[in-house]
Amino acid sequence: ADVIEIEAGTPSESFLSWRGILAGAAAGSAVSLVLISLGVASGLSLLSPWPGQSYSGLAASVAALWGLIATIGSFLVAGFVAARVRPRVAEVPINEVEFRDGLQGMVTWAVCVLIGGMILHAGSSAVAKFADRNSSSPLSGMISTLAAPAEGKTATAAPILTTDETRTIEGVFMRSFGRDGGLAPKDRTFVANIIAPKAGIPVSDAETRVDTAYADAMAALDKAKKATELSGLLTGIGLLIGLGAAWYGGIRGGKSRDESTSSRFRFSGW
């Protein structure tokens, strides 16, 4: 008679469950959307166009705190769901099981970050294209006032500077940003020669306007640079905290799976 030997071993497939990862990413994204919507509503309730009725400082603090809460909560849910639906591949030590469940949560975090990054990149690209078509930039508002008519002259409804002239002046200002000594004399004269005939003022007065506008523009750019640096730093810290939340959520989800913990909501009397 033929004897069939059955060898006990671990399955060859990966211990990561991509169905669980996608389910966790979907659940975490949904929770994040809900929490962000609630945060936006709460933040707007603290702002008002009426004098003395707006709490902008408190709104900024609440927004930062709520953003952290939303990040931790959404990644906790994502990691928990991803590990909760992951099948346990084989009998392995408990420490290895916890590591695999945590890694399941980490990969779910990575999927969420990558998808969010792609959405953010697509949105920022669309905004940049729209701004380029409409010639709108952080400096366009300041530059548009350079050629304002002198005192005593009537302002016209049509824009005094053309789109090409505005972009040319923007390029001169941006090129001089960070340069020792600020705006070069030849660049100042170049811009003043554009402004003077438009505003109907002498070149010397136009140069004074250019110096003032350049100082204001550089201050605005420096403020925007610092805000971007702070935003990037806070975003990085928040994502690292989210990584820890997703890892912890994965471990808790794995324990819930192995202990067959009921996921039903229980109400007294039901």
Side-chain angles (χ1 to χ4, degrees):
D2 296 333
V3 178
I4 301 176
E5 295 183 358
I6 300 176
E7 296 181 1
T10 57
S12 58
E13 68 269 12
S14 170
F15 61 83
L16 290 176
S17 171
W18 286 102
R19 287 180 296 179
I21 290 172
L22 293 178
S29 299
V31 172
S32 176
L33 180 61
V34 172
L35 293 178
I36 290 176
S37 298
L38 292 174
V40 170
S42 301
L44 290 177
S45 66
L46 297 174
L47 301 177
S48 174
W50 303 107
Q53 299 183 18
S54 183
Y55 305 93
S56 56
L58 179 60
S61 301
V62 170
L65 178 60
W66 189 258
L68 183 60
I69 293 175
T71 299
I72 294 175
S74 59
F75 281 122
L76 268 175
V77 171
F80 182 91
V81 172
R84 183 66 173 80
V85 301
R86 181 184 79 89
R88 189 167 177 176
V89 175
E91 292 297 330
V92 294
I94 185 64
N95 292 337
E96 180 64 18
V97 173
E98 287 188 358
F99 175 79
R100 294 182 179 187
D101 290 331
L103 190 60
Q104 180 88 354
M106 177 181 177
V107 175
T108 305
W109 168 87
V111 171
C112 292
V113 172
L114 289 176
I115 294 176
M118 289 188 292
I119 294 175
L120 181 61
H121 176 72
S124 60
S125 298
V127 171
K129 290 180 180 178
F130 176 80
D132 183 68
R133 287 196 303 266
N134 291 272
S135 185
S136 59
S137 74
L139 302 181
S140 59
M142 298 179 183
I143 294 175
S144 63
T145 62
L146 276 174
E151 295 183 2
K153 294 188 177 181
T154 305
T156 58
I160 298 176
L161 290 175
T162 64
T163 301
D164 292 338
E165 290 171 339
T166 301
R167 290 181 175 177
T168 299
I169 298 175
E170 288 177 2
V172 172
F173 282 7
M174 293 295 294
R175 187 172 63 248
S176 302
F177 182 60
R179 177 189 297 172
D180 293 337
L183 191 64
K186 63 177 182 179
D187 291 333
R188 181 190 300 107
T189 303
F190 173 75
V191 176
N193 287 329
I194 298 176
I195 299 301
K198 297 285 186 176
I201 59 177
V203 175
S204 59
D205 292 345
E207 289 181 348
T208 302
R209 288 191 180 187
V210 171
D211 289 336
T212 302
Y214 177 77
D216 294 340
M218 294 304 100
L221 287 176
D222 185 64
K223 184 178 180 180
K225 180 182 74 71
K226 292 179 179 179
T228 303
E229 293 172 352
L230 180 60
S231 176
L233 178 63
L234 294 179
T235 300
I237 293 175
L239 290 177
L240 288 177
I241 294 175
L243 170 59
W247 187 281
Y248 178 76
I251 293 176
R252 299 304 302 176
K255 288 185 177 181
S256 175
R257 174 201 63 224
D258 296 338
E259 297 173 1
S260 300
T261 304
S262 176
S263 300
R264 294 177 298 173
F265 292 100
R266 298 182 179 275
F267 301 94
S268 59
W270 285 51

